[in-house]
Amino acid sequence: MSLVKILGTCHDPMPSVRLPRILWRIRQKWKLRRWRRAVEGGNPPRLSIAETRGLVGNADVSSFNTRRKRFQLSELYRGNHSFPQGDSSVQALLKESEYILANAFRILRQNHHQFEGEIEWHSDFHERFKWDEKAFCKSVRALPKKPGADIKVPWELSRFQFLTTLAQASLAVGDEKYLSKGKELILDWIARNPVGVGVNWACTMDVAIRAVNWILFSAMLPDESADDAFAEAIQQALLEHGVFIVNNLEYGSIRGNHYVSDLAGLIFAGVFFGDSGLGQYWISQAVEEFEKEILLQVYPDGADFEDSVTYHRLVLELYVYTYIFCEKNSVSFSQEFRDRLKGLFQFLSDVEKPDGRAPLRGDNDSGRFIQFHPDRADDDFAYLRDLGSVLFDTMSFSGAEGFDSEAKWLLNDAQLQGLPSAESTVPSESASYGDAGVYLMRDNRDYAMISCGKNGIRGWGCHTHNDRLAAIIVLDGVELFTDPGQFTYTTSEEMRNYFRSTHSHNTLAVNGAEQIEFQPGQLFRLEDVAWGECLRWNVSSQDVQFEGRHNGYHRLVPGLYHHRAVSYHRGERRFDVEDWLVCEGDSQLETVVISFILSSEVSIKGIGDREVIILHGDQEFVLGIESQLPFELKQEAQWYSPAYGVKVETIALRIVWGNVQLVGGGQANNIAAFTINKR
């Protein structure tokens, strides 16, 4: 059955452009109903080659070569670059490519899984669960009946982000086998995943990311590498991806990185088919929306509104990579867009710890847009730091091991010729991002990140954790107290909530309660009822001072606020932390617990009555505790997740007070004061 007959015009306007939103939704539901009937009737619609030619013109090798070259940013893509064979990045590419040749894939930083027969595009092969490959995409359940199965496994595999690794390996050593494997996998996927059918069409974001990675793989092919059959198949499939995206945009009153991904995919598809009226229409419509979204989703100070550092990274990739490839093709953006893009880079630079790594605050699903490195740690943003040093001169260049190899693939020939040669340090200035509720104390090798804001995504809290007034602390380059990261989303509600819970963060809990209660089944929602407020932020040559409060426990005790003050003393290289509670009337609390989650790189040497000795190699650090109330000091096992799907054991320190009597009338009820210094 014809996809065009099912969907009608492929020139639909964006949901916020020209058509009222309610009319757009009615139109989309009508189209999807017809599409569903066709799929469930056993006749899933595809674009015919005649329809493809009618929409975008020829789909032969010549047109394919013309279109793919629009994405060749530099000589790296054209095979005119000499790759040093002993370079570690080249060796990593070759090693990973050999795995892929053997049908062994590393998904979500798990161990490589090798398929003995055909690729299981529709399965969580770790859990041996397969989604119905004939189901209409909108009928696919993200939460399957089998506990532990993760829909992100087939989604991540079908994003095809491994294609750039194969193409880079081929360009590095001149071996066609890597390109042949990539083409083989694309054709196999197309044959077994009709448009709109199965798990890999269930999320438009993943459709968009897949299309972009197919396009960039194509850009890295030599002219003689593609034949008529491959050129026709991939162009037809890319057009189907574009048509699917424009008819399944993840638009709503609450939207985030998914909608931005949809737009990015549509822009790439538009540029690829830029010699056609349809391609130009997609560009004009999607770029207009793209500009609107960066102003909506990125605060004026440069922080992304999703309340997560790694999602900030993903959103930055979406915006800047699309911007770069558009500029290559004379698709321009406003100065306001560029300013907001520059702010995204600046925030990422400011939040880096002294070792150049980023804190994993908030949710983390290890999501990327395009990968030009096969095995980059989730907290390693060096490639973006170096890219920012070229695009915006206020950014720092890491320099320690040369310009990052991944960033080079995002530069044009002139930029590659003018790379900075001198190393510049990670910024050492403290910074505050009031809109995002992020406060950063830093002085060379000392660092603290304090969370004191509201739910992200306009209060929806999709990727927010219960981390109000939590502090990540680094002293002399050693991360002492960390954020737990995020191990999983849908495979276990218990583990999902464990990693976003109050007790998994370096903050205070009252009566064992959460700052924001978790609602059953609400894995991507926190009620907008706990608001952090900064009361003092002062930076001087002697110290940096923060004071804030949040009202997350109002439901337990009327007018109850948790206050925390954090001070950094430059000369003494010491952090002080003070916690107190304020409420309206007299009250008694069953328990108050303050947690400190130790990073996995440190251990506990000893625990005294009022101090804890923390060990890192031969370095000793002291957590001193002062309190007028009797307390118990506990040491417990704690999970920490450096990447989605990975968890390692570390230590949580719990300071516990029982039967705490509070005096009302707005008085400060002091709980504890802590000092953190190096011996």
Side-chain angles (χ1 to χ4, degrees), residues 103 115-122 130 133 188 192:
N103 286 343
F115 296 102
E116 299 300 332
E118 63 181 18
I119 307 297
E120 298 176 25
W121 297 114
H122 307 92
K130 183 178 181 180
E133 59 187 89
D188 181 63
R192 295 168 55 202

Side-chain angles (χ1 to χ4, degrees), residues 451 453-455 464-470 507 515-516 530 532 550:
S451 301
K454 300 179 181 179
N455 282 0
T464 295
H465 286 189
N466 277 336
D467 62 357
R468 304 297 192 275
L469 299 182
T507 188
Q515 294 175 347
I516 303 174
H550 77 83

Side-chain angles (χ1 to χ4, degrees), residues 435-446:
D435 291 331
V438 174
Y439 298 85
L440 300 151
M441 300 178 175
R442 57 187 320 142
D443 186 56
N444 296 318
R445 291 173 56 80
D446 301 337

Side-chain angles (χ1 to χ4, degrees), residues 169-393:
S170 178
L171 290 168
V173 299
D175 196 326
E176 181 77 14
K177 67 181 181 182
Y178 301 117
L179 300 179
S180 297
K181 184 63 177 180
K183 291 184 289 183
E184 171 195 317
L185 291 169
I186 290 173
L187 293 175
D188 181 63
W189 192 96
I190 292 172
R192 295 168 55 202
N193 290 269
V195 59
V197 183
V199 66
N200 294 312
W201 295 93
C203 176
T204 309
M205 174 184 188
D206 294 284
V207 176
I209 292 175
R210 176 169 58 250
V212 171
N213 279 275
W214 284 4
I215 288 171
L216 290 187
F217 174 75
S218 301
M220 298 180 184
L221 296 174
D223 286 345
E224 65 277 7
S225 179
D227 55 24
D228 282 324
F230 179 75
E232 182 177 288
I234 193 170
Q235 289 182 99
Q236 191 171 342
L238 284 171
L239 184 57
E240 287 180 335
H241 277 64
V243 170
F244 182 91
I245 293 168
V246 81
N247 282 280
N248 293 274
L249 292 164
E250 295 167 281
Y251 181 89
S253 57
I254 301 298
R255 57 191 183 274
N257 65 80
H258 279 240
Y259 186 52
V260 177
S261 301
D262 302 346
L263 296 173
L266 195 58
I267 292 170
F268 270 81
V271 172
F272 185 84
F273 294 113
D275 52 315
S276 69
L278 181 60
Q280 287 299 315
Y281 184 79
W282 283 350
I283 292 170
S284 64
Q285 294 283 285
V287 166
E288 184 177 346
E289 287 289 286
F290 212 55
E291 292 241 10
K292 291 179 182 177
E293 289 306 306
I294 199 172
L295 299 180
L296 172 71
Q297 297 192 29
V298 179
Y299 295 124
D301 60 14
D304 174 61
F305 81 154
E306 294 195 70
D307 205 25
S308 159
V309 173
T310 55
Y311 276 93
H312 181 105
R313 182 263 302 276
L314 172 63
V315 167
L316 175 52
E317 285 188 355
L318 290 165
Y319 283 122
V320 73
Y321 293 1
T322 305
Y323 165 80
I324 287 169
F325 285 100
C326 279
E327 289 281 302
K328 162 84 167 55
N329 289 277
S330 302
V331 178
S332 59
F333 290 85
S334 68
Q335 185 59 47
E336 196 172 13
F337 179 95
R338 285 177 52 86
D339 290 343
R340 206 61 64 97
L341 185 59
K342 180 178 179 180
L344 282 165
F345 274 107
Q346 189 62 59
F347 176 86
L348 208 62
S349 179
D350 283 342
V351 299
E352 282 187 341
K353 296 176 291 187
D355 62 358
R357 300 285 177 146
L360 298 179
R361 173 182 177 265
D363 268 355
N364 174 34
D365 72 347
S366 301
R368 298 284 305 279
F369 183 35
I370 306 163
Q371 297 184 42
F372 292 102
H373 188 292
D375 190 28
R376 185 177 291 277
D378 284 9
D379 62 355
D380 181 5
F381 298 174
Y383 66 107
L384 288 173
R385 184 196 322 126
D386 287 2
L387 180 61
S389 73
V390 174
L391 298 181
F392 302 104
D393 57 10

Side-chain angles (χ1 to χ4, degrees), residues 608-678:
D609 290 340
R610 293 185 176 271
E611 70 174 20
V612 179
I613 309 301
I614 300 170
L615 198 62
H616 179 263
D618 59 357
Q619 297 175 287
E620 291 187 2
F621 301 86
V622 180
L623 171 66
I625 308 167
E626 291 294 333
S627 178
Q628 299 301 312
L629 306 174
F631 64 87
E632 181 182 3
L633 185 55
K634 296 182 178 180
Q635 177 181 332
E636 299 177 352
Q638 169 77 32
W639 288 116
Y640 161 75
S641 177
Y644 186 92
V646 179
K647 66 181 189 292
V648 297
E649 193 171 286
T650 185
I651 297 169
L653 290 171
R654 315 276 189 207
I655 301 94
V656 183
W657 293 264
N659 298 318
V660 177
Q661 185 69 42
L662 301 182
V663 178
Q667 293 189 44
N669 294 269
N670 294 319
I671 303 298
F674 305 92
T675 59
I676 304 158
N677 62 284
K678 183 179 180 181

Side-chain angles (χ1 to χ4, degrees), residues 408-427:
K408 290 179 180 178
W409 290 88
L410 296 155
L411 303 178
N412 58 39
D413 288 322
Q415 290 168 333
L416 283 171
Q417 294 298 318
L419 290 180
S421 57
E423 177 182 354
S424 67
T425 60
V426 174

